[in-house]
Amino acid sequence: MASASDGRVVLDAGDISRALTRISHEILERNKGASDLILLGLQTRGVPLAKRLAAKIEAVEGTAIAVGSLDATMYRDDLKTQPTRAPHKTSLPGSIDGKTVVLVDDVLFSGRTIRAALDALSDLGRPAVVRLAVLVDRGHRELPIRADHVGKNLPTARSERV
């Protein structure tokens, strides 16, 4: 991940791999294994991260992990003020009812995307537990949202881009 202003690398490929390995172990420990676990990557950059996490969990547990994607575009609270991107497909690997759902995204910033994702998720079913895994937590929260699993805490200025 690089800052737009200076192009500084804050996580290289090895750092990302190690962070995802640690997060995968944290998820397994907190869930007490892989049963009833679903990883949902937030469109767009959370989807490949969710797939990588699933592969790491599968390597440890020896069982396939359900992975899907969630698009929260139409649930955002800034649709009137920000140019919107075209919605992407939401793809669930089955029912989320009664399951442990881990939302996966690349960067946690204000918390508004996660709030939108929670709204979208509530329209799709009723998980037993919802957790949040992010590669980078920038701070600057505008809503009371906290990640359960974080690859790297990276304090930034509001104007910086990750």
Side-chain angles (χ1 to χ4, degrees):
M1 308 241 147
S3 166
S5 61
D6 64 8
R8 181 174 58 105
V9 174
V10 294
L11 290 174
D12 63 21
D15 295 331
I16 292 170
S17 181
R18 284 186 293 279
L20 292 176
T21 297
R22 184 172 34 78
I23 290 170
S24 66
H25 285 278
E26 288 175 4
I27 289 169
L28 284 171
E29 185 176 316
R30 184 107 183 250
N31 196 54
K32 296 180 176 59
S35 64
D36 291 330
L37 182 64
I38 296 175
L39 302 181
L40 286 182
L42 300 185
Q43 292 284 12
T44 58
R45 292 183 211 108
V47 175
L49 289 175
K51 290 177 182 174
R52 288 180 68 180
L53 278 173
K56 288 183 179 288
I57 291 171
E58 184 175 344
V60 171
E61 289 292 299
T63 182
I65 301 300
V67 181
S69 61
L70 180 66
D71 183 52
T73 301
M74 300 313 293
Y75 292 85
R76 295 190 58 89
D77 62 3
D78 59 359
L79 289 176
K80 293 178 184 169
T81 60
Q82 300 280 58
T84 59
R85 61 173 170 79
H88 289 83
K89 184 177 180 183
T90 290
S91 173
L92 298 181
S95 173
I96 61 170
D97 293 337
K99 306 285 178 131
T100 297
V101 173
V102 179
L103 296 176
V104 181
D105 205 4
D106 61 339
V107 177
L108 176 58
F109 183 45
S110 67
R112 293 188 178 277
T113 299
I114 304 307
R115 191 231 18 106
L118 290 169
D119 287 348
L121 194 63
S122 70
D123 280 352
L124 299 171
R126 191 173 196 282
V129 176
V130 178
R131 295 198 177 106
L132 176 60
V134 297
L135 185 57
V136 174
D137 184 347
R138 292 184 56 189
H140 303 288
R141 220 68 82 240
E142 296 173 5
L143 299 171
I145 290 176
R146 178 184 58 85
D148 299 285
H149 311 286
V150 178
K152 182 174 181 79
N153 286 296
L154 184 66
T156 60
R158 283 191 165 275
S159 61
E160 285 181 303
R161 201 175 145 92
V162 175

